[in-house]
Amino acid sequence: MFNPFVLYLFLFLFIANRGIIYAFIEGIFNRSTKKNKTKDITDKKILDLIYKKTGLKLSKILLFDTSKVWAMMAGFPPKPYMIISNEAYKNLDKDEMEWIYLHEAGHYILWHNLKMALLQLLFIFPGLIMPIIIKSYILQIIGSIILAILSSILYFYLARLFEYEASYYAMRRMTNPQAISTLALKAQKRWFDKVKHEKFHKLFNTWIYDIYENLVQAAKKEITSRK
Ligand SMILES: [Zn+2]
């Protein structure tokens, strides 16, 4: 016997966080099999650059061995650090990497980790309310599955607003906004061209190619305004 609420919550949290769950499993698996320990790529120059542009004092930058372009902020104040996937690190040039660093710093400065956690907490409520409205157990189970899918779609839509915010934050502060167009091109060629069901992908992912498209347009304006 499944509890409909537990089923809903499990499905929602899994769909919403599957990217990061997968990246962590892959990273930890690669670390144990390839003897490829998480590398410390802390560079004083980069830490200073991030501090100068965002006011964020990072303690270190670590490289995580995963096949996706991916980065995240970890640790807690006053000692936050950054994790970067080596797929990003080996494929992006200095200017493109600066955008990644500033994007992640932006998430931290704008309290996005906390906001996303609170946003996920809000999605507990639909799961709590549904079994009150629907009485039949079978319908509750079916309802849990459908509701988890619908909640995930709404969650990705809202979480994407944070990605837009951090992306613009980084673009406006980067030394060379021209790197946005090469970054978008690389992203399309290497990763987004491989996406098979585009409409489906857009519904169930925070990172979609549209973010780059909008960012390229915004970067053009930024370049003109700096002249
Ligand atoms: Zn992000």
Side-chain angles (χ1 to χ4, degrees):
M1 288 281 271
F2 280 113
N3 177 310
F5 172 69
V6 174
L7 177 66
Y8 162 81
L9 201 62
F10 174 81
L11 283 176
F12 168 71
L13 289 176
F14 177 75
I15 300 171
N17 299 296
R18 70 190 195 287
I20 200 158
I21 294 169
Y22 179 80
F24 260 96
I25 292 173
E26 193 194 4
I28 288 163
F29 179 77
N30 283 348
R31 190 158 60 165
S32 58
T33 53
K34 289 188 194 163
K35 301 273 169 244
N36 200 345
K37 293 252 167 1
T38 307
K39 271 186 244 156
D40 193 326
I41 52 159
T42 311
D43 178 341
K44 176 86 169 55
K45 265 189 221 153
I46 289 170
L47 295 192
D48 286 347
L49 180 83
I50 294 169
Y51 178 67
K52 201 183 89 196
K53 300 216 174 225
T54 69
L56 171 66
K57 262 187 192 156
L58 276 184
S59 58
K60 58 185 172 184
I61 301 175
L62 300 180
L63 205 58
F64 213 51
D65 190 12
T66 72
S67 58
K68 285 219 166 73
V69 167
W70 172 85
M72 71 174 286
M73 287 296 303
F76 292 95
K79 277 207 154 185
Y81 62 96
M82 201 179 278
I83 299 174
I84 305 275
S85 75
N86 64 347
E87 179 72 4
Y89 195 67
K90 71 179 188 222
N91 286 304
L92 304 181
D93 70 20
K94 186 175 139 277
D95 288 338
E96 293 156 355
M97 277 309 292
E98 187 189 320
W99 180 80
I100 300 261
Y101 296 135
L102 296 178
H103 173 103
E104 289 309 319
H107 278 315
Y108 190 86
I109 296 285
L110 300 163
W111 294 89
H112 283 173
N113 278 1
L114 182 68
K115 287 177 186 170
M116 286 210 204
L118 290 176
L119 181 62
Q120 293 199 4
L121 270 181
L122 281 181
F123 279 97
I124 285 179
F125 292 106
L128 283 176
I129 295 164
M130 193 270 303
I132 300 172
I133 299 170
I134 298 172
K135 295 295 168 207
S136 144
Y137 177 72
I138 291 295
L139 289 181
Q140 282 179 352
I141 292 296
I142 298 168
S144 295
I145 298 168
I146 295 170
L147 197 61
I149 293 170
L150 294 177
S151 291
S152 310
I153 294 173
L154 182 60
Y155 170 75
F156 284 122
Y157 180 82
L158 296 172
R160 196 173 299 140
L161 301 178
F162 296 128
E163 291 306 338
Y164 270 109
E165 197 184 12
S167 298
Y168 285 115
Y169 175 96
M171 185 275 293
R172 284 194 301 268
R173 283 164 179 79
M174 68 198 289
T175 313
N176 175 20
Q178 248 131 9
I180 291 291
S181 37
T182 55
L183 179 70
L185 212 65
K186 279 184 192 174
Q188 187 182 20
K189 272 197 183 150
R190 296 193 65 93
W191 305 292
F192 287 97
D193 273 356
K194 288 172 193 151
V195 170
K196 282 189 190 111
H197 309 282
E198 202 188 339
K199 284 202 177 114
F200 191 75
H201 173 85
K202 281 185 181 182
L203 286 180
F204 292 99
N205 285 282
T206 319
W207 262 100
I208 57 173
Y209 190 70
D210 302 41
I211 300 179
Y212 286 113
E213 278 178 345
N214 288 309
L215 204 57
V216 167
Q217 295 311 317
K220 280 182 188 158
K221 281 186 196 146
E222 176 70 19
I223 293 162
T224 343
S225 77
R226 282 192 197 181
K227 274 176 190 162

